[in-house]
Amino acid sequence: MVAALLAVMPGAATAAPQRSLGVLGSSIAAAGNADGRLELFGTDSGGGVWHRWQTSPGGSWSNWDKFDGSLASVAAETNADGRVELFGVDIGGGVWHRWQTTPGGAWSSWEGLDGGLASIAAARNKDGRLELFGADSTGGVWHRWQTYAGGGWTGWNRFDGGLTQVAADTNADGRVELFGVDGGGGVWHRWQTYAGGGWSGWERLDGGLASIAAARNRDGRLELFGADSTGGVWHRWQSYAGGGWTGWNRFDGGLTQVAADTNADGRVELFGVDSTGGVWHRWQTTPGGAWSDWAKFDGALRS
């Protein structure tokens, strides 16, 4: 992959959480198309924004294709009608998004959202409204949501607490759960107490991470993934859908960035970037079961 910057987006919009970047969010993200094909997104060391996709659900992958614009971190989620939406943060902290104009089809132009972030994540509420989460330069944690499925956005609302990295996914009963890493590597989560409703307080998970991602197993159990400060790659999962968590289990290999999503047949797939920018993935060989070995993609993303 050529790491040259071909185009630059307009300057960041000013508003709510405003920042200049220190710690960057994840350089890799994934989401599922309406027909079940996963799509992978990433940013390279020059800010170039790339994507590739499975050519059939659970199958082989296309080559990398470059978007215009420039981002430092990315997140992605699928709208209720099956259109994937890509979110990102530029090097000045500006927040951007673009979306498929039809499920699996062409993409809109970039559109700026107000505010400023470093790390960004998205999840879909039970009623189909996307919810966007982020951490700003001071550690402030923010969220906003579509006012109706596929529609416009509320303003930013601030959570208590402080994080540098965020990830989110939706429990089997429709309650969104937010995960994050604080400035010391501590791992935290909170969740909607009912689908689309109020939020629990923060609860700490043991362990320490530098990058974090989540995906849902076919049986509804969320699975949490992370890379620690030495590159160690870890995962843990709910012992039943919406329930308590196992301890951490370590994968072989080394990564600095992680992302995850679920294939059409229910097999979770983990993506990551190593310290040299190499892009890797591995997947459950059966839904909720054992994992494949690591396989390397061509190209390079920001480590």
Side-chain angles (χ1 to χ4, degrees), residues 232-277:
V233 187
W234 300 84
H235 66 139
R236 69 192 308 167
W237 50 90
Q238 291 174 334
S239 49
Y240 58 90
W245 293 81
T246 67
W248 290 105
N249 288 259
R250 188 166 187 171
F251 283 121
D252 62 303
L255 298 173
T256 61
Q257 312 282 331
V258 289
D261 211 331
T262 308
N263 280 282
D265 63 1
R267 293 176 303 109
V268 172
E269 191 152 351
L270 173 61
F271 304 90
V273 182
D274 68 24
S275 60
T276 66

Side-chain angles (χ1 to χ4, degrees), residues 268-292:
V268 172
E269 191 152 351
L270 173 61
F271 304 90
V273 182
D274 68 24
S275 60
T276 66
V279 186
W280 299 83
H281 65 140
R282 71 189 308 168
W283 51 89
Q284 293 173 337
T285 55
T286 58
W291 288 80
S292 74

